[in-house]
Amino acid sequence: MARKTANRRVGITDVAQRAGVSLASVSRVMNGNFSVDPDIAARVRAAAAELNYHPNAVGRSLALGKTDTIGIVVPDLANPTFQGMLRGVSRAAAQDGYRVLIADSSEVSSEESILAGEARRRCDGVVLCAPRMNEAELEALLPSLQPLVLINRSTADTQTPSLVVDYGQGIQDLAAHLVELGHTRLVFLAGPERSAGNQARLQGLEKFRVDHPEVELTTLPAGSSFEAGHVSAVAVLATGATGVLAFNDLVAMGLLSGLHERGVDVPGDISVTGFDDIPFANYTTPPLTTAAVAINDIGEQAWHELRQLLGDGDPEPAHTTFQPELKRRGSTGRVKKPTLS
Amino acid sequence: MARKTANRRVGITDVAQRAGVSLASVSRVMNGNFSVDPDIAARVRAAAAELNYHPNAVGRSLALGKTDTIGIVVPDLANPTFQGMLRGVSRAAAQDGYRVLIADSSEVSSEESILAGEARRRCDGVVLCAPRMNEAELEALLPSLQPLVLINRSTADTQTPSLVVDYGQGIQDLAAHLVELGHTRLVFLAGPERSAGNQARLQGLEKFRVDHPEVELTTLPAGSSFEAGHVSAVAVLATGATGVLAFNDLVAMGLLSGLHERGVDVPGDISVTGFDDIPFANYTTPPLTTAAVAINDIGEQAWHELRQLLGDGDPEPAHTTFQPELKRRGSTGRVKKPTLS
DNA sequence: CGAAATCGAGAAAACGTTTTCTGGAAAGGT
DNA sequence: ACCTTTCCAGAAAACGTTTTCTCGATTTCG
């Protein structure tokens, strides 16, 4: 390793030398270890200040066996949901002096496992949000990631806490809300097929169907983005439905935009619901009725679980379910005229 | 350090022992070093596989003097602009096998310097976006962060590349666009006072004033969030202006929402412009006229600059300026009636 | 006053790698 | 056939800390 410009980096050795003490003493002083002569401590501190010494994190990590860093794997940093999660984790972890290493798998499931492994090797623990990874692969990966908390995936493994959102219940609440407003012809704009969240919504809707046999509910493949919602506008209109359950807020916003372009009034002609309650949902025109997911709380909670795991005890890992909360806003309204059938 | 459950972690030593070779050979094999006997290589690989060995990143970092990690300091992870930047940096860095450590300063400038320093100590380099930090503090901090690229801050230091957006020009373009549409009474919804970006916009508008003495331009303090824009609606209406230059897209969207609630038609009664062209800007009703900032490109470019610095050569650090691009959309239109004056 | 207990600072081992150094064997040249 | 060069595997140093261990000095107690 070519030493650039003589000895550039100032280490603990330099401080020790300058203060005329041993390495050990410097280390003790730097770590606030008592039982060290005040005079020595002062000399060390002075030397450290003069040399502008800052302990090397890597050396420290090696000696201590911890990095004070956790990894978080998300499918897509462009998605507000994962951004919120990341933010929640990051802020909470920062409170405890931990930093966060991010890994964006770009929605490709093969990357998810690689990134998770790599992140784990660099960090003390991992928060894994991998909705696409298949069940078997996940189970196989679990042991090697060990201090780990799962988001929106469940596992039999008793070691790993998991935080899941009850998408099934949320979508039922939204559907029920529409029915309450008199809608009897609904359409669901589905998300990515392989997505665990989409599966959960579909199951919820299945349950809804048996509870409300009088409601006509069709499903249209869409996606999880603005564009997906935007291009779905025409298909939605073709169904003649008066209420739309979009996969998430992004799709709903895209749809809102598409409907607006076609002169369709929301909620006058059609009611639209989203999912997640991203910050923007409150500021669309009209404001979006949606199922609020406390995504920041989930991130925060994820950190707290992980912190438990990193600490000593193994206090039963929690398997927490978050209930979405229905937010009634302007994008849903009473059905104008009963559907002719 | 208490070894948990006998020897848990499998290290290079275990592999060497199992393969019946020395540490050095294992290391050579793992790093694809040629000039190692094929037989030995095979044995090592087999042993590594059997033991499920993965090299310890910290040990590796210490020996190599590099972490393959960069830090990025942003003021607020909730802001779409910084989210985009982060995403750009992260994706680009990932392409080259680097990971990103995030530090969210929560908009407090004192944190910015601490976090930057800490990030630098853990990583090989830093991307710093610290709009609030004062000039002096920044200059003082620069040397200690050295492989570093600045975003939206300039510096005399020739060592550090910086990427800045020409907010001054962008806001002038937007203003000119409104003038072109016949507006003569404009209002600027200002951002946070201390923000460098806000200063740049104000300077641009000053220039605009001298170029267009016929236009009446007032400034209203607002902020950088939805809420800021939302609550500004009444103040904006009070000015009697027909064109509004919002600090950014968030403020514009909040304003749009506030105006809608009051039954004010956009762009019929008032034209509104944003800034940044965040992904949502395309899907508001009406779609937002704004100045597009290629924020993902900036993130990507930031990584490329940093990669240069991390590599050997010192090929003059670029000081790049990004020009916003005017996006004409539905939120601006011809002024309905000439302002009486 | 002497021996045991206490204390604190320095020497050295440890963390898990990579890489230089070294020495023995094989290969090549005269 | 002998000497020199080449090659490659293993030993050891290095990276920058923390922490255990050791040992001399000071204190305390009998």
Side-chain angles (χ1 to χ4, degrees):
Chain A
M1 197 181 321
R3 217 170 265 280
K4 41 184 77 167
T5 330
N7 62 348
R8 192 69 197 121
R9 176 94 192 137
V10 18
I12 202 176
T13 322
D14 304 305
V15 178
Q17 196 169 341
R18 175 148 188 140
V21 300
S22 74
L23 306 184
S25 297
V26 177
S27 174
R28 284 192 267 261
V29 172
M30 297 309 288
N31 296 350
N33 204 324
F34 15 74
S35 84
V36 54
D37 190 280
D39 176 41
I40 287 197
R43 283 223 308 285
V44 167
R45 258 183 266 280
E50 288 172 31
L51 297 175
N52 190 28
Y53 167 75
H54 290 282
N56 176 298
V58 178
R60 206 146 188 283
S61 292
L62 187 59
L64 291 170
K66 57 185 288 225
T67 63
D68 288 346
T69 302
I70 64 169
I72 178 172
V73 180
V74 295
D76 182 10
L77 273 181
N79 186 317
T81 297
F82 304 124
Q83 289 164 352
M85 209 170 75
L86 167 63
R87 179 158 172 264
V89 171
S90 168
R91 295 231 165 159
Q95 292 275 336
D96 295 320
Y98 276 72
R99 299 286 162 256
V100 175
L101 193 78
I102 78 171
D104 178 353
S105 64
S106 306
E107 303 252 7
V108 324
S109 70
S110 60
E111 279 293 301
E112 285 177 343
S113 46
I114 312 232
L115 290 176
E118 194 180 311
R120 176 59 188 84
R121 235 161 289 135
R122 279 180 153 77
C123 305
D124 299 341
V126 169
V127 174
L128 178 60
C129 186
R132 299 285 198 286
M133 190 183 298
N134 75 58
E135 196 75 28
E137 194 176 4
L138 178 63
E139 288 298 333
L141 211 54
L142 282 188
S144 77
L145 300 176
Q146 218 21 256
L148 141 75
V149 6
L150 280 179
I151 293 193
N152 275 343
R153 295 296 294 254
S154 59
T155 172
D157 189 315
T158 167
Q159 291 297 329
T160 67
S162 78
L163 310 176
V164 307
V165 174
D166 193 343
Y167 290 109
Q169 186 59 53
I171 201 84
Q172 287 180 70
D173 292 349
L174 287 165
H177 167 65
L178 288 177
V179 169
E180 198 176 295
L181 290 172
H183 297 270
T184 55
R185 297 183 66 180
L186 306 182
V187 56
F188 172 57
L189 289 182
E193 274 195 53
R194 309 291 306 264
S195 145
N198 190 51
Q199 298 298 333
R201 287 169 175 82
L202 286 173
Q203 284 178 23
L205 288 178
E206 215 43 63
K207 187 144 175 298
F208 173 81
R209 267 202 185 89
V210 314
D211 290 350
H212 297 268
E214 80 282 8
V215 175
E216 180 185 338
L217 169 61
T218 62
T219 294
L220 243 44
S224 57
S225 63
F226 282 127
E227 290 70 22
H230 195 252
V231 302
S232 295
V234 44
V236 165
L237 290 174
T239 66
T242 62
V244 183
L245 300 159
F247 174 70
N248 63 16
D249 289 346
L250 292 183
V251 173
M253 289 176 70
L255 178 63
L256 242 40
S257 159
L259 292 176
H260 183 76
E261 287 174 9
R262 285 172 179 72
V264 179
D265 182 43
V266 175
D269 298 325
I270 292 189
S271 286
V272 173
T273 67
F275 209 117
D276 289 343
D277 194 26
I278 63 177
F280 293 87
N282 220 346
Y283 293 96
T284 56
T285 45
L288 197 59
T289 292
T290 191
V293 174
I295 194 66
N296 276 284
D297 292 357
I298 294 183
E300 185 179 335
Q301 183 74 17
W303 163 244
H304 288 151
E305 296 286 349
L306 194 48
R307 181 178 56 185
Q308 293 255 10
L309 260 46
L310 290 175
D312 32 3
D314 29 23
E316 79 270 36
H319 176 100
T320 312
T321 300
F322 286 78
Q323 290 301 336
E325 184 192 352
L326 180 64
K327 294 279 185 188
R328 294 177 180 78
R329 300 213 183 95
S331 69
T332 51
R334 293 210 68 80
V335 69
K336 195 191 293 179
K337 51 195 172 197
T339 348
L340 333 161
S341 73
Chain B
M1 198 182 316
R3 217 171 264 282
K4 45 182 75 167
T5 329
N7 61 349
R8 193 70 197 119
R9 176 95 190 134
V10 19
I12 201 175
T13 322
D14 305 303
V15 178
Q17 196 168 340
R18 175 149 188 139
V21 299
S22 73
L23 306 184
S25 296
V26 177
S27 174
R28 283 192 268 259
V29 172
M30 297 308 289
N31 295 349
N33 205 323
F34 16 74
S35 83
V36 53
D37 189 281
D39 175 41
I40 287 196
R43 282 223 308 284
V44 167
R45 258 183 265 279
E50 289 171 30
L51 297 175
N52 190 28
Y53 167 76
H54 290 283
N56 176 297
V58 178
R60 208 147 185 281
S61 293
L62 186 59
L64 290 171
K66 57 186 288 227
T67 63
D68 288 346
T69 301
I70 65 169
I72 178 171
V73 180
V74 294
D76 182 10
L77 272 181
N79 187 317
T81 297
F82 304 124
Q83 289 164 353
M85 210 170 75
L86 167 62
R87 178 157 172 265
V89 171
S90 167
R91 295 232 165 158
Q95 292 275 336
D96 294 320
Y98 275 74
R99 299 287 163 254
V100 175
L101 194 78
I102 79 172
D104 177 353
S105 65
S106 306
E107 303 252 7
V108 325
S109 70
S110 59
E111 279 293 301
E112 285 177 342
S113 48
I114 311 233
L115 290 176
E118 193 180 311
R120 177 59 188 86
R121 235 163 288 136
R122 277 182 155 78
C123 304
D124 299 342
V126 169
V127 174
L128 179 60
C129 186
R132 300 285 198 286
M133 190 183 298
N134 75 57
E135 195 76 28
E137 193 177 4
L138 178 64
E139 288 297 335
L141 210 54
L142 282 189
S144 77
L145 299 176
Q146 219 19 257
L148 139 75
V149 6
L150 280 179
I151 293 193
N152 276 343
R153 296 295 294 254
S154 59
T155 172
D157 188 316
T158 167
Q159 291 297 328
T160 68
S162 77
L163 310 177
V164 307
V165 174
D166 193 343
Y167 291 109
Q169 185 59 52
I171 200 83
Q172 286 181 71
D173 292 349
L174 287 166
H177 167 65
L178 288 177
V179 169
E180 199 176 293
L181 290 172
H183 298 271
T184 55
R185 297 183 66 180
L186 306 182
V187 56
F188 172 57
L189 289 181
E193 274 196 52
R194 311 289 307 264
S195 146
N198 190 52
Q199 298 297 332
R201 287 169 175 82
L202 286 172
Q203 285 178 23
L205 289 177
E206 215 43 64
K207 188 145 175 295
F208 173 82
R209 267 202 185 89
V210 314
D211 290 350
H212 297 269
E214 80 281 9
V215 175
E216 180 186 338
L217 170 61
T218 62
T219 292
L220 244 45
S224 57
S225 63
F226 283 126
E227 290 69 22
H230 195 252
V231 303
S232 294
V234 43
V236 165
L237 290 173
T239 67
T242 62
V244 184
L245 299 159
F247 175 69
N248 63 18
D249 289 346
L250 292 183
V251 174
M253 289 176 71
L255 178 63
L256 243 39
S257 159
L259 292 177
H260 182 76
E261 287 174 10
R262 284 171 180 70
V264 180
D265 182 44
V266 175
D269 300 326
I270 292 189
S271 286
V272 173
T273 68
F275 210 116
D276 289 343
D277 194 27
I278 63 177
F280 293 88
N282 220 347
Y283 293 95
T284 55
T285 46
L288 197 59
T289 292
T290 190
V293 175
I295 194 65
N296 275 284
D297 292 356
I298 294 182
E300 185 180 335
Q301 183 74 18
W303 163 244
H304 288 151
E305 297 285 350
L306 194 48
R307 183 179 53 185
Q308 294 255 9
L309 260 46
L310 291 175
D312 31 7
D314 28 23
E316 79 270 36
H319 176 99
T320 312
T321 300
F322 287 79
Q323 290 300 335
E325 184 192 351
L326 179 64
K327 295 278 185 188
R328 294 177 180 79
R329 299 213 183 97
S331 70
T332 51
R334 295 211 67 80
V335 68
K336 197 190 295 181
K337 50 195 176 199
T339 348
L340 335 158
S341 75

